Coordinates of all heavy atoms in Angstrom, one line a residue:
M70 N -18.0 77.4 7.6 CA -17.2 76.8 8.6 C -17.2 77.6 9.9 O -17.1 77.0 11.0 CB -15.8 76.5 8.0 CG -15.1 75.5 8.7 SD -16.0 73.9 8.5 CE -14.9 72.9 9.3
H71 N -17.2 78.9 9.7 CA -17.2 79.8 10.9 C -18.5 79.5 11.8 O -18.4 79.5 13.0 CB -17.2 81.2 10.5 CG -17.3 82.2 11.6 ND1 -16.3 82.4 12.5 CD2 -18.3 83.0 11.9 CE1 -16.7 83.3 13.4 NE2 -17.9 83.7 13.0
Y72 N -19.6 79.3 11.2 CA -20.9 79.1 11.9 C -20.8 77.8 12.7 O -21.3 77.7 13.8 CB -22.1 79.2 11.0 CG -22.3 80.6 10.5 CD1 -22.1 80.9 9.1 CD2 -22.6 81.7 11.3 CE1 -22.3 82.1 8.6 CE2 -22.8 82.9 10.8 CZ -22.6 83.2 9.5 OH -22.8 84.4 9.0
L73 N -20.2 76.8 12.1 CA -20.1 75.5 12.7 C -19.2 75.6 13.9 O -19.6 75.1 15.0 CB -19.6 74.4 11.7 CG -19.3 73.0 12.3 CD1 -20.7 72.4 12.7 CD2 -18.7 72.2 11.3
W74 N -18.1 76.3 13.8 CA -17.2 76.5 14.9 C -17.9 77.3 16.0 O -17.8 77.0 17.2 CB -15.9 77.2 14.5 CG -14.9 77.4 15.5 CD1 -14.5 78.6 16.0 CD2 -14.2 76.4 16.3 NE1 -13.6 78.4 17.0 CE2 -13.4 77.1 17.2 CE3 -14.2 75.0 16.3 CZ2 -12.6 76.4 18.1 CZ3 -13.3 74.4 17.2 CH2 -12.5 75.1 18.0
M75 N -18.6 78.3 15.6 CA -19.3 79.1 16.6 C -20.4 78.3 17.4 O -20.6 78.4 18.6 CB -20.0 80.3 15.9 CG -20.7 81.3 16.8 SD -21.3 82.8 16.0 CE -22.4 82.2 14.9
F76 N -21.1 77.4 16.6 CA -22.1 76.5 17.3 C -21.4 75.5 18.2 O -21.9 75.3 19.3 CB -22.9 75.8 16.2 CG -24.0 74.9 16.9 CD1 -25.1 75.5 17.3 CD2 -23.8 73.6 17.0 CE1 -26.1 74.7 17.9 CE2 -24.8 72.8 17.6 CZ -26.0 73.4 18.0
I77 N -20.3 75.0 17.9 CA -19.6 74.0 18.7 C -19.1 74.7 20.0 O -19.3 74.2 21.1 CB -18.4 73.4 18.0 CG1 -18.9 72.4 16.9 CG2 -17.5 72.6 18.9 CD1 -17.9 71.9 15.9
V78 N -18.5 75.9 19.9 CA -18.1 76.6 21.1 C -19.3 77.0 21.9 O -19.3 76.9 23.1 CB -17.2 77.8 20.7 CG1 -16.9 78.7 21.9 CG2 -15.9 77.4 20.1
G79 N -20.4 77.4 21.2 CA -21.6 77.8 21.9 C -22.2 76.6 22.7 O -22.8 76.7 23.8
L80 N -22.1 75.4 22.1 CA -22.6 74.2 22.7 C -21.8 73.9 24.0 O -22.4 73.6 25.0 CB -22.5 73.0 21.8 CG -23.0 71.7 22.3 CD1 -24.5 71.7 22.6 CD2 -22.7 70.6 21.3
L81 N -20.5 74.1 23.9 CA -19.7 73.9 25.2 C -20.1 74.9 26.2 O -20.2 74.6 27.4 CB -18.2 74.0 24.8 CG -17.7 72.9 23.9 CD1 -16.2 73.1 23.5 CD2 -17.8 71.5 24.7
V82 N -20.3 76.2 25.8 CA -20.6 77.2 26.8 C -22.0 76.9 27.4 O -22.2 77.0 28.6 CB -20.6 78.6 26.1 CG1 -21.3 79.7 26.9 CG2 -19.2 79.1 25.7
G83 N -22.9 76.5 26.6 CA -24.3 76.2 27.0 C -24.3 75.0 28.0 O -25.0 75.0 29.0
I84 N -23.4 74.0 27.7 CA -23.3 72.8 28.6 C -22.8 73.2 30.0 O -23.3 72.8 31.0 CB -22.5 71.7 28.0 CG1 -23.2 71.1 26.8 CG2 -22.0 70.7 29.0 CD1 -22.4 70.2 25.9
V85 N -21.7 74.1 29.9 CA -21.1 74.5 31.2 C -22.1 75.4 32.0 O -22.3 75.2 33.2 CB -19.8 75.3 31.0 CG1 -19.3 76.0 32.2 CG2 -18.8 74.4 30.4
A86 N -22.9 76.3 31.3 CA -23.9 77.1 32.0 C -25.0 76.2 32.6 O -25.4 76.5 33.7 CB -24.5 78.1 31.0
K87 N -25.5 75.2 31.9 CA -26.5 74.4 32.4 C -26.0 73.5 33.6 O -26.7 73.2 34.5 CB -27.1 73.5 31.3 CG -28.1 74.2 30.5 CD -28.8 73.2 29.5 CE -29.9 73.9 28.8 NZ -30.7 72.9 28.0
F88 N -24.7 73.2 33.5 CA -24.1 72.4 34.6 C -24.0 73.3 35.9 O -24.2 72.8 37.0 CB -22.7 71.9 34.2 CG -22.0 71.2 35.3 CD1 -22.3 69.9 35.6 CD2 -20.9 71.8 36.0 CE1 -21.7 69.2 36.7 CE2 -20.3 71.1 37.0 CZ -20.6 69.8 37.3
L89 N -23.6 74.5 35.7 CA -23.5 75.4 36.9 C -24.8 75.9 37.4 O -24.9 76.3 38.6 CB -22.6 76.7 36.5 CG -21.2 76.4 36.2 CD1 -20.5 77.7 35.7 CD2 -20.5 75.9 37.4
M90 N -25.9 75.8 36.6 CA -27.2 76.2 37.1 C -28.2 75.1 36.8 O -29.0 75.2 35.8 CB -27.5 77.5 36.3 CG -28.6 78.3 37.0 SD -28.7 79.9 36.2 CE -30.3 80.3 36.8
P91 N -28.1 74.1 37.5 CA -29.0 72.9 37.3 C -30.5 73.3 37.5 O -30.8 74.2 38.3 CB -28.5 71.8 38.2 CG -27.9 72.6 39.3 CD -27.3 73.8 38.7
G92 N -31.3 72.6 36.8 CA -32.8 72.8 37.0 C -33.5 72.3 35.7 O -32.9 71.9 34.7
K93 N -34.8 72.5 35.7 CA -35.6 72.1 34.5 C -35.6 73.3 33.5 O -36.2 74.3 33.7 CB -37.0 71.9 35.0 CG -37.9 71.3 33.9 CD -37.7 69.9 33.7 CE -38.7 69.3 32.8 NZ -38.3 68.3 32.0
D94 N -34.9 73.1 32.4 CA -34.7 74.1 31.4 C -35.1 73.4 30.0 O -35.0 72.2 29.9 CB -33.3 74.6 31.3 CG -33.0 75.4 32.5 OD1 -33.8 76.3 32.9 OD2 -31.9 75.2 33.1
P95 N -35.4 74.2 29.1 CA -35.7 73.6 27.8 C -34.4 73.1 27.2 O -33.3 73.6 27.6 CB -36.2 74.8 26.9 CG -35.5 76.0 27.5 CD -35.5 75.7 29.0
G96 N -34.4 72.1 26.4 CA -33.1 71.8 25.9 C -33.0 70.5 25.2 O -33.9 69.7 25.3
G97 N -32.1 70.4 24.6 CA -31.6 69.3 23.8 C -30.3 69.8 23.2 O -29.8 70.9 23.7
F98 N -29.8 69.2 22.3 CA -28.6 69.5 21.7 C -28.6 70.9 21.0 O -27.8 71.7 21.3 CB -28.3 68.4 20.6 CG -27.0 68.7 19.8 CD1 -25.8 68.4 20.4 CD2 -27.1 69.1 18.5 CE1 -24.7 68.6 19.7 CE2 -26.0 69.3 17.8 CZ -24.7 69.1 18.4
F99 N -29.7 71.1 20.2 CA -29.7 72.3 19.5 C -30.0 73.6 20.4 O -29.4 74.6 20.2 CB -30.8 72.2 18.4 CG -30.9 73.3 17.4 CD1 -29.8 73.5 16.5 CD2 -31.9 74.2 17.4 CE1 -29.9 74.5 15.6 CE2 -31.9 75.2 16.5 CZ -30.9 75.4 15.6
V100 N -30.9 73.4 21.3 CA -31.3 74.5 22.2 C -30.1 74.9 23.1 O -29.8 76.1 23.3 CB -32.5 74.2 23.0 CG1 -32.8 75.3 24.1 CG2 -33.7 74.0 22.1
T101 N -29.4 73.9 23.6 CA -28.2 74.2 24.4 C -27.1 75.0 23.6 O -26.5 75.9 24.1 CB -27.6 72.9 24.9 OG1 -28.6 72.2 25.7 CG2 -26.4 73.2 25.8
G102 N -26.9 74.6 22.3 CA -26.0 75.3 21.5 C -26.4 76.7 21.2 O -25.6 77.7 21.3
L103 N -27.7 76.9 21.0 CA -28.2 78.3 20.8 C -28.1 79.1 22.0 O -27.8 80.3 22.0 CB -29.7 78.2 20.3 CG -29.9 77.7 18.8 CD1 -31.4 77.7 18.5 CD2 -29.1 78.6 17.8
L104 N -28.4 78.5 23.2 CA -28.2 79.2 24.4 C -26.8 79.7 24.6 O -26.5 80.8 25.0 CB -28.6 78.3 25.6 CG -28.3 78.8 27.0 CD1 -29.2 79.9 27.4 CD2 -28.4 77.7 28.0
G105 N -25.8 78.8 24.3 CA -24.4 79.2 24.4 C -24.0 80.3 23.5 O -23.3 81.2 23.8
V106 N -24.5 80.2 22.2 CA -24.2 81.3 21.2 C -24.8 82.6 21.7 O -24.1 83.6 21.7 CB -24.6 80.9 19.8 CG1 -24.5 82.0 18.9 CG2 -23.8 79.7 19.3
A107 N -26.0 82.6 22.1 CA -26.7 83.8 22.6 C -26.0 84.3 23.8 O -25.8 85.5 24.0 CB -28.2 83.5 22.8
G108 N -25.6 83.4 24.7 CA -24.8 83.8 25.9 C -23.5 84.5 25.6 O -23.1 85.4 26.3
M109 N -22.9 84.0 24.5 CA -21.6 84.6 24.1 C -21.8 86.0 23.6 O -21.0 86.9 23.9 CB -20.9 83.7 23.1 CG -20.4 82.4 23.7 SD -19.6 81.4 22.5 CE -18.1 82.2 22.3
F110 N -22.9 86.2 22.9 CA -23.2 87.6 22.5 C -23.6 88.5 23.7 O -23.1 89.6 23.8 CB -24.4 87.6 21.5 CG -24.0 87.2 20.1 CD1 -24.5 86.0 19.6 CD2 -23.2 88.0 19.3 CE1 -24.1 85.7 18.3 CE2 -22.9 87.7 18.1 CZ -23.3 86.5 17.5
V111 N -24.3 88.0 24.6 CA -24.7 88.8 25.8 C -23.4 89.1 26.6 O -23.2 90.2 27.1 CB -25.7 88.0 26.7 CG1 -25.9 88.7 28.0 CG2 -27.1 88.0 25.9
G112 N -22.6 88.0 26.8 CA -21.4 88.2 27.6 C -20.4 89.2 26.9 O -19.8 90.0 27.6
G113 N -20.3 89.1 25.6 CA -19.4 90.0 24.9 C -20.0 91.5 25.0 O -19.2 92.4 25.1
F114 N -21.3 91.6 24.9 CA -21.9 93.0 25.0 C -21.6 93.5 26.4 O -21.2 94.7 26.5 CB -23.4 92.9 24.7 CG -24.1 94.2 25.0 CD1 -24.0 95.2 24.1 CD2 -24.9 94.3 26.1 CE1 -24.6 96.4 24.3 CE2 -25.5 95.5 26.3 CZ -25.4 96.6 25.4
L115 N -21.8 92.7 27.4 CA -21.6 93.2 28.8 C -20.1 93.6 29.0 O -19.8 94.6 29.6 CB -22.1 92.2 29.8 CG -23.6 92.0 29.9 CD1 -23.9 90.8 30.9 CD2 -24.2 93.2 30.4
A116 N -19.2 92.7 28.5 CA -17.8 93.0 28.7 C -17.4 94.3 28.0 O -16.6 95.1 28.5 CB -17.0 91.8 28.2
Q117 N -17.9 94.5 26.8 CA -17.6 95.7 26.0 C -18.2 96.9 26.7 O -17.6 98.0 26.8 CB -18.1 95.6 24.6 CG -17.6 96.7 23.7 CD -17.9 96.4 22.3 OE1 -18.6 95.5 21.9 NE2 -17.4 97.3 21.4
T118 N -19.4 96.8 27.2 CA -20.1 97.9 27.9 C -19.3 98.3 29.2 O -19.2 99.5 29.5 CB -21.5 97.5 28.3 OG1 -22.2 97.2 27.1 CG2 -22.2 98.7 29.0
L119 N -18.8 97.3 29.9 CA -18.1 97.6 31.2 C -16.6 97.9 30.9 O -15.9 98.2 31.9 CB -18.2 96.3 32.1 CG -19.6 96.0 32.6 CD1 -19.6 94.7 33.3 CD2 -20.1 97.1 33.4
G120 N -16.2 97.9 29.7 CA -14.8 98.3 29.3 C -13.8 97.2 29.5 O -12.6 97.5 29.4
F121 N -14.2 95.9 29.6 CA -13.2 94.8 29.7 C -12.7 94.4 28.4 O -11.6 93.8 28.3 CB -13.8 93.7 30.4 CG -14.1 93.9 31.9 CD1 -15.4 93.9 32.4 CD2 -13.1 94.2 32.8 CE1 -15.7 94.1 33.7 CE2 -13.4 94.5 34.1 CZ -14.7 94.4 34.5
K122 N -13.4 94.7 27.3 CA -13.1 94.2 26.0 C -13.2 95.3 25.0 O -14.3 95.9 24.9 CB -14.0 93.0 25.6 CG -13.5 92.1 24.6 CD -14.5 90.9 24.5 CE -14.0 89.9 23.5 NZ -14.9 88.8 23.3
S123 N -12.2 95.6 24.3 CA -12.2 96.8 23.4 C -13.0 96.5 22.1 O -13.7 97.4 21.6 CB -10.8 97.3 23.1 OG -10.1 96.3 22.4
A124 N -12.8 95.3 21.6 CA -13.5 95.0 20.3 C -13.7 93.5 20.2 O -13.0 92.7 20.9 CB -12.7 95.5 19.1
I125 N -14.6 93.1 19.4 CA -14.8 91.6 19.2 C -13.7 91.1 18.3 O -13.5 91.6 17.2 CB -16.2 91.4 18.6 CG1 -17.2 91.8 19.6 CG2 -16.3 89.9 18.2 CD1 -18.6 91.7 19.0
S126 N -13.0 90.1 18.7 CA -11.9 89.6 17.9 C -12.3 88.3 17.3 O -13.4 87.7 17.7 CB -10.6 89.4 18.8 OG -10.9 88.4 19.8
G127 N -11.6 87.8 16.4 CA -12.0 86.6 15.7 C -11.5 85.3 16.4 O -11.7 84.2 15.9
T128 N -10.8 85.4 17.5 CA -10.2 84.3 18.2 C -11.0 84.0 19.4 O -11.7 84.8 20.0 CB -8.8 84.5 18.6 OG1 -8.7 85.6 19.4 CG2 -7.9 84.8 17.3
I129 N -10.9 82.7 19.9 CA -11.6 82.3 21.1 C -10.6 82.5 22.2 O -9.5 82.0 22.2 CB -12.0 80.8 21.0 CG1 -12.9 80.6 19.9 CG2 -12.6 80.4 22.3 CD1 -14.2 81.3 20.0
E130 N -11.0 83.2 23.2 CA -10.1 83.5 24.4 C -10.8 83.0 25.6 O -12.0 82.9 25.7 CB -9.9 85.0 24.5 CG -9.2 85.6 23.3 CD -9.1 87.1 23.4 OE1 -9.5 87.7 24.4 OE2 -8.6 87.7 22.4
P131 N -10.0 82.6 26.7 CA -10.6 82.2 27.9 C -11.6 83.2 28.5 O -12.6 82.8 29.0 CB -9.4 81.9 28.8 CG -8.3 81.7 27.9 CD -8.6 82.5 26.7
S132 N -11.3 84.5 28.4 CA -12.2 85.5 29.0 C -13.5 85.5 28.2 O -14.5 85.8 28.8 CB -11.5 86.9 28.9 OG -11.2 87.2 27.6
G133 N -13.4 85.3 26.9 CA -14.7 85.2 26.1 C -15.5 84.0 26.5 O -16.7 84.1 26.5
F134 N -14.9 82.9 26.8 CA -15.6 81.7 27.2 C -16.3 81.9 28.5 O -17.4 81.6 28.7 CB -14.6 80.5 27.2 CG -15.3 79.2 27.5 CD1 -15.7 78.5 26.4 CD2 -15.4 78.7 28.8 CE1 -16.4 77.3 26.6 CE2 -16.0 77.5 29.0 CZ -16.5 76.8 27.9
I135 N -15.5 82.5 29.4 CA -16.1 82.8 30.7 C -17.3 83.8 30.6 O -18.3 83.7 31.2 CB -15.0 83.3 31.7 CG1 -14.0 82.2 32.0 CG2 -15.7 83.9 33.0 CD1 -12.8 82.7 32.7
G136 N -17.1 84.9 29.8 CA -18.1 85.8 29.5 C -19.3 85.2 28.9 O -20.5 85.5 29.2
G137 N -19.1 84.2 28.0 CA -20.2 83.5 27.4 C -21.0 82.7 28.4 O -22.2 82.6 28.3
V138 N -20.3 82.0 29.3 CA -21.0 81.3 30.4 C -21.8 82.2 31.3 O -22.9 81.9 31.6 CB -19.9 80.5 31.2 CG1 -20.6 79.9 32.4 CG2 -19.3 79.4 30.4
I139 N -21.2 83.3 31.6 CA -22.0 84.3 32.4 C -23.2 84.8 31.7 O -24.3 84.9 32.2 CB -21.1 85.5 32.9 CG1 -20.0 85.0 33.8 CG2 -21.9 86.6 33.5 CD1 -18.9 86.0 34.1
G140 N -23.0 85.1 30.4 CA -24.2 85.5 29.6 C -25.2 84.4 29.5 O -26.4 84.7 29.5
S141 N -24.8 83.2 29.3 CA -25.8 82.1 29.3 C -26.5 81.9 30.6 O -27.7 81.6 30.6 CB -25.1 80.8 28.9 OG -24.5 80.9 27.6
I142 N -25.8 82.1 31.7 CA -26.5 82.0 33.0 C -27.5 83.1 33.1 O -28.6 82.9 33.6 CB -25.5 82.0 34.1 CG1 -24.7 80.7 34.1 CG2 -26.1 82.2 35.5 CD1 -23.5 80.6 35.1
I143 N -27.2 84.3 32.7 CA -28.1 85.4 32.7 C -29.4 85.1 31.9 O -30.5 85.3 32.3 CB -27.5 86.7 32.2 CG1 -26.4 87.2 33.2 CG2 -28.5 87.8 31.9 CD1 -25.6 88.3 32.8
L144 N -29.2 84.5 30.7 CA -30.3 84.1 29.9 C -31.1 83.0 30.5 O -32.4 83.0 30.4 CB -29.8 83.7 28.5 CG -29.3 84.8 27.6 CD1 -28.7 84.2 26.3 CD2 -30.3 85.8 27.3
L145 N -30.5 82.1 31.2 CA -31.3 81.0 31.9 C -32.1 81.6 33.1 O -33.2 81.2 33.3 CB -30.3 80.0 32.5 CG -29.8 78.9 31.5 CD1 -28.8 78.0 32.1 CD2 -31.0 78.1 31.0
I146 N -31.5 82.6 33.8 CA -32.3 83.3 34.9 C -33.5 84.0 34.3 O -34.6 83.9 34.8 CB -31.3 84.2 35.6 CG1 -30.3 83.5 36.4 CG2 -32.1 85.2 36.5 CD1 -29.2 84.3 37.0
I147 N -33.3 84.7 33.2 CA -34.4 85.4 32.6 C -35.5 84.4 32.1 O -36.7 84.6 32.3 CB -33.9 86.3 31.4 CG1 -33.1 87.4 31.9 CG2 -35.1 86.8 30.5 CD1 -32.3 88.2 30.9
Y148 N -35.1 83.3 31.5 CA -36.0 82.3 31.1 C -36.8 81.8 32.2 O -38.0 81.6 32.2 CB -35.3 81.1 30.4 CG -36.2 80.0 30.1 CD1 -37.1 80.0 29.1 CD2 -36.1 78.9 31.0 CE1 -38.0 78.9 28.9 CE2 -37.0 77.8 30.8 CZ -37.9 77.8 29.8 OH -38.8 76.8 29.6
R149 N -36.1 81.5 33.4 CA -36.8 80.9 34.5 C -37.8 82.0 35.1 O -38.9 81.6 35.6 CB -35.8 80.5 35.6 CG -35.1 79.2 35.1 CD -34.1 78.8 36.1 NE -33.4 77.6 35.6 CZ -32.4 77.0 36.3 NH1 -32.1 77.4 37.5 NH2 -31.8 75.9 35.8
L150 N -37.4 83.2 35.1 CA -38.3 84.3 35.6 C -39.6 84.3 34.8 O -40.7 84.5 35.3 CB -37.6 85.6 35.6 CG -36.6 85.8 36.7 CD1 -35.9 87.2 36.6 CD2 -37.2 85.7 38.1
F151 N -39.5 84.3 33.4 CA -40.6 84.4 32.6 C -41.5 83.1 32.7 O -42.7 83.2 32.6 CB -40.2 84.6 31.1 CG -40.0 86.1 30.8 CD1 -38.7 86.5 30.5 CD2 -41.0 87.0 30.9 CE1 -38.5 87.8 30.2 CE2 -40.8 88.3 30.6 CZ -39.5 88.8 30.3
R152 N -40.8 82.0 32.8 CA -41.5 80.7 32.9 C -42.3 80.7 34.2 O -43.5 80.2 34.2 CB -40.6 79.5 32.8 CG -41.3 78.2 32.8 CD -40.4 77.1 32.8 NE -39.8 77.1 34.1 CZ -38.9 76.1 34.5 NH1 -38.6 75.2 33.7 NH2 -38.3 76.2 35.7
R153 N -41.8 81.1 35.3 CA -42.5 81.1 36.5 C -43.7 82.1 36.5 O -44.7 81.8 37.0 CB -41.6 81.6 37.7 CG -42.2 81.5 39.0 CD -41.4 81.8 40.2 NE -39.9 81.9 40.0 CZ -39.2 82.8 40.4 NH1 -39.7 83.8 41.1 NH2 -37.9 82.8 40.2
N154 N -43.5 83.3 35.8 CA -44.6 84.2 35.8 C -45.7 83.8 34.9 O -46.9 84.1 35.1 CB -44.1 85.6 35.3 CG -43.2 86.3 36.4 OD1 -43.4 85.9 37.6 ND2 -42.4 87.2 36.0
T155 N -45.4 83.1 33.8 CA -46.5 82.7 32.9 C -47.2 81.4 33.3 O -48.4 81.2 33.0 CB -45.9 82.4 31.5 OG1 -44.9 81.4 31.6 CG2 -45.3 83.6 30.9
S156 N -46.6 80.6 34.1 CA -47.3 79.4 34.6 C -48.1 79.6 35.9 O -48.9 78.8 36.2 CB -46.2 78.3 34.9 OG -45.4 78.6 35.9
A157 N -47.9 80.7 36.5 CA -48.7 81.0 37.8 C -50.0 81.6 37.5 O -50.6 81.8 36.6 CB -47.9 81.9 38.6

């Protein structure tokens, strides 16, 4: 049940990130959810590295959601950089 909840929250994070950074990206339901989950890991890692978050908690917090959106946007930027370099 934990993985289902993580995917649902990741899907919401991925949708918000794609809304804030429109463009041609891979996606569908599953890829957007994976983008959000991966973005939450990246955002959590960055927050912990910068000292904003002491440890990963089991609850969903607004700061974690925002960090997940920021992490997802970073992953979208990286994807677009690689896509542009491989297609040229």
